[in-house]
Amino acid sequence: MKTILIVEDVELNRDLLTQLLEDDYALVLAVDGGAGVAMAASHAPDLILMDLSLPVIDGWEATRRIKADPATAGIPVIAITANAMSGDADRAKAAGCDDFMTKPVDEDLLFAKLHHWLD
């Protein structure tokens, strides 16, 4: 079973993603960017779902740190944000995100992206 690290500070959003994914994937949860960076290193997940608006270290910087570490650089990171502005997808990719999606999460799009990056 593939492992997904969900880095999300809003409990409702974490719960939603957990409900969508728990039957098909092993899940690891982090509530801030600092914990996300640490958990990426300690758990070596197969994929990371990264909120961009996070406490401690935002998702932009957390992704940069994950991608800067040779041990975690190859883990695909999908940015998920509610505050999508023009250019955010490009900014997320510049920070190291491999893919980008907006909230509210479209379940079909999420699973399509997961299959793309994990299969």
Side-chain angles (χ1 to χ4, degrees):
M1 183 177 276
K2 302 275 186 178
T3 299
I4 297 175
L5 169 58
I6 298 171
V7 187
E8 170 63 66
D9 62 320
V10 177
E11 185 176 6
L12 180 66
N13 294 334
R14 271 195 321 274
D15 290 349
L16 172 66
L17 289 168
T18 297
Q19 289 175 11
L20 288 173
L21 302 175
E22 66 187 349
D23 292 340
D24 299 313
Y25 302 97
L27 302 178
V28 182
L29 306 175
V31 298
D32 63 62
V37 172
M39 294 182 97
S42 65
H43 290 276
D46 297 291
L47 183 135
I48 300 169
L49 295 176
M50 178 72 72
D51 183 25
L52 295 176
S53 300
L54 293 166
V56 182
I57 300 170
D58 66 28
W60 310 98
E61 180 59 24
T63 299
R64 281 191 280 278
R65 292 183 188 188
I66 289 166
K67 293 300 188 170
D69 182 343
T72 55
I75 301 170
V77 177
I78 300 176
I80 302 180
T81 185
N83 302 318
M85 307 278 281
S86 176
D88 275 355
D90 292 334
R91 242 179 95 208
K93 290 192 181 196
C97 295
D98 298 284
D99 211 331
F100 181 88
M101 52 186 307
T102 58
K103 295 177 189 173
V105 171
D106 176 314
E107 187 176 338
D108 292 334
L109 180 61
L110 174 63
F111 279 102
K113 288 180 181 291
L114 293 177
H115 288 298
H116 171 78
W117 292 106
L118 293 173
D119 292 344

